[in-house]
Amino acid sequence: MTGQNARAPLEGLRVIDMSRLVAGNVLTHVLADFGAEVIKIEKPGQGDDLRAWRVEGVSTFWKEYCRNKQSLAVDMRSAEGLAVARELIASADVLVENFRPGTLEKIGLAPDDLLARNPGLIVVRISGWGQTGTWRGRPGFGSLIEAMSGFAMMNGFEDRPPVLPPLALADMIAGQSGAAATLMALRARDRDGSGQVIDLSLFEPMFACLGPQIANHRLTGREPRRMGSLSELSAPRNIYETADGGFVALSASTQAMAERVFRVIGRPDMIIDPRFATNSDRIDHLEECDAAVADFMRSLPRDELVALFTEAEVTVGIVAGVADLDGHPYMTSREVIVETPDSDMSSFPMHAITPRLSRTPGVIKAPGPALGAHSVAILKALGFSRDGIDDLVTRGIVEVPTQ
C-alpha cells in the first residue's frame, strides 16, 4: 500500500540533506516516505556517490534510497552556492550532513551559526566515530565499523576468518537510528521551540546491536565464538541442508518450540533426555542436539520439510534467494514490493514503506531523481530570477538535467 490518498504524518517538514552514500540517505528516505520535503544538495557533475553504485548501468541504490526526494545540484565551494545552502538551511526544520567532523565549520556552516539564525533547526551530524573522542577525525566507512564494533569477529565459522556483512549494515542501522533520533528532537522542539545537534556515529548503533557482549566477556573472560548459524543462546537453531540440495532455517528459541521439533523429527525421547531436556542442557550438548535435527533434514526435500514443520507450528522457512522472493505469495499478499514508473526500467520494484501506519501511511511518489532535477524550482522558490538561474548554470555553479 502506498497511501496515495492519505495525508502523510511528516507533511510540512523540510529536510536539507547534504549527506552522501548510505547512512544519511537511509535516514532521510524514511522521513521522505512519510511526507517530509527532502532536498538533496549535490555536487554538480557528480552528485551523491550513491549514484555510482550501478547495476547494468542503472543506479538502483540511488533510486531506492533517494525516492521521494528533490535534487539541487549546486557547488557549495562557490560563494553563490554556499549562500544558496544557507538560505535553504534557514528555511528548514532539519539538516543532515556526514562530512568528517569539523568540515561543516570549515566551510562556513557551523551549527552554532546555523542555530543562531534558525533556532528551531535540528542538525544531524553523521560520522564514523562521532564528533568527540580520540578517533573523531578518522574516516569511518561502514566496513571498518562492522570490523571494529565486534560484529565481524562474531560472524562466520570457527575454522575460518571473520566475515563482514555483504551489505552496508552499519550505515543502514545508523540511518534508522538517526531517523528515530530526528523525530525525538522534533518532539522536544514541539515543547520548547528549540533545535539541537544530533551526534550520530556509525559505531555506536552497530555496537548497541551486539547486546551485552562486554558484560558477557567480563563474566566469562571469553570472546564470543564464531558459530556459523548456530547460537549460544538457544538450540536447536541452524541452517540445514535438505535431501534435494536446498536449505531451511529453523529456530526453536522457546521450550515448547524445541519439544515440537523433537516430535516432528521422530525423537520425542529428546524431550526427557537430560542432555536435551532444557535449553541450558541443549546448549551444553549443542553439537549432538544439532546433529539429530540435521540428520532428519537430510532425509526429505526442502518443500516437504517446510510443509511438515509448518503443520506442526514450528518456526521454519526456506533460505530464500532473491528469485524466491520476487513474486512469492507472501510478498504479493503483503505488498512488500511496490512497482513505481521509472525512466530506466519500465517499472522499478522497491521495498514498501515501513513501518506501516494505519491512519497516516507514507507515500511513494517516485524513485531517486536525476541530478539537479529540481534545481530550477528550488531556486525560483528562493527568489532567483530565471536569468539569474541561467547565469549560475552557465558558470557551472548550478546543474540542471540535459534535455
Side-chain angles (χ1 to χ4, degrees), residues 120-131:
L121 182 68
I122 309 302
V123 182
V124 186
R125 310 196 70 176
I126 305 171
S127 61
W129 309 102
Q131 303 295 316

Side-chain angles (χ1 to χ4, degrees), residues 339-357:
E339 303 284 346
T340 307
D342 179 61
S343 58
D344 293 307
M345 301 169 65
S346 59
S347 177
F348 190 86
M350 61 178 71
H351 69 278
I353 292 174
T354 181
R356 297 175 184 239
L357 278 63

Side-chain angles (χ1 to χ4, degrees), residues 134-154:
T134 56
W135 282 12
R136 66 182 294 271
R138 289 195 180 194
F141 286 160
S143 296
L144 183 57
I145 303 304
E146 290 143 9
M148 281 294 301
S149 65
F151 171 82
M153 187 62 77
M154 298 170 60

Side-chain angles (χ1 to χ4, degrees), residues 12 45-46 54 64-65 118 130 147 158 167 192 201 203 223 233 246 257-258 279 308 329 336 344 352 376 389 393:
Q46 177 181 333
R54 296 175 176 267
E64 183 115 356
Y65 288 116
N118 182 0
E158 195 167 22
L167 73 167
D192 57 26
S201 73
F203 181 87
E223 290 285 343
L233 301 177
M257 191 66 68
N279 189 60
L308 184 65
V336 177
D344 293 307
V376 172
I389 295 170
V393 172

Side-chain angles (χ1 to χ4, degrees), residues 292-308:
V293 179
D295 286 345
F296 180 80
M297 295 297 194
R298 285 190 289 266
S299 69
L300 294 171
R302 185 191 73 174
D303 292 348
E304 188 174 336
L305 282 167
V306 170
L308 184 65

